[in-house]
Amino acid sequence: MRFGPVVAVDRVDYQLRRHEVAGILGSNGAGKTTFFNVLTGYYTPTEGRIFYQGRDITRLSPPQRVALGIARTFQLTSTFDNLSVLDNLVLAFFRSHCRPTTLGLLFKRCAAYRDHEAIIAALHQFDLHPIAARLACHLSLGEKRRMEIAMAVLADPELLLLDEPLAGLAESEIRGVLEVLRRQVGKQTILIVEHKISHVRDFLERLIVMHEGRIIAEGGYEECLNDPQVRKSYWQIDESSDNAG
Ligand SMILES: Nc1ncnc2c1ncn2[C@@H]1O[C@H](COP(=O)(O)OP(=O)(O)OP(=O)(O)O)[C@@H](O)[C@H]1O
Ligand SMILES: [Mg+2]
């Protein structure tokens, strides 16, 4: 993926396995978000192709990819600040499971779905039941993040892309978000971009490290973090010139 002279994603050849949880690490500007944008259809790659379950989806629009089961948190989660947590979940569920309808009609029908079993289950699964009635605009960042993930999951995606789900959260909020993410492991394929990589370490099956658009390491967590090129590019540790340790 090129932007003028900048090659933001450079010859990335990557395969995700069904139901695995994989992570992407990389310094600022490494191309992680651009890679997500290419996967979700926000950008059409300058060269190369993207396959999903054997099908070439390179030219499909973001909504067409969502319909195939590829979801990215913010993409599915236009949250409504003036609606309660419960109604935000209802809308997310309704939108993906019912025929497209006008937003006005959607709001009117909302009430009928408030006690749908999928909604009740999501409230509990994401620890949102104590704040179900609270307006989205009154949530803390951690609560909002949990609501967004719940909304994405209610759409029942096969592939969930999370771009820095822990960004901006306090330690106490991180724990809550990790807890709900952990409950998704094994239910869908998950690709997480996260700088706070040690937090997601225990449920990552595989890691890739990107630098200047390219994948410079791929494999297990330890293996990647100990890779000489990763130490040099990501941690700025240069063993060849660092005799003092
Ligand atoms: N729409 C765009 N137009 C021009 N250049 C872009 C565009 N989007 C990204 N870039 C450039 O592509 C490169 C990769 O950016 P990207 O946002 O993908 O990095 P990132 O790995 O997500 O970084 P961060 O960790 O800071 O989120 C950067 O040099 C960025 O300036
Ligand atoms: Mg980014």
Side-chain angles (χ1 to χ4, degrees), residues 40 65-66 69-73 75-76 152 155 157 159-162:
T40 48
R65 296 189 203 197
V66 171
I70 301 174
R72 170 185 189 152
T73 34
Q75 175 184 345
L76 275 173
L159 169 59
L160 187 58
L161 301 165
L162 302 163

Side-chain angles (χ1 to χ4, degrees), residues 15-36:
Q15 258 189 26
L16 266 171
R17 291 186 282 268
R18 187 171 151 83
H19 287 178
E20 81 169 327
V21 183
I24 305 182
L25 183 67
S27 41
N28 292 334
K32 307 177 298 292
T33 298
T34 305
F35 184 41
F36 269 30

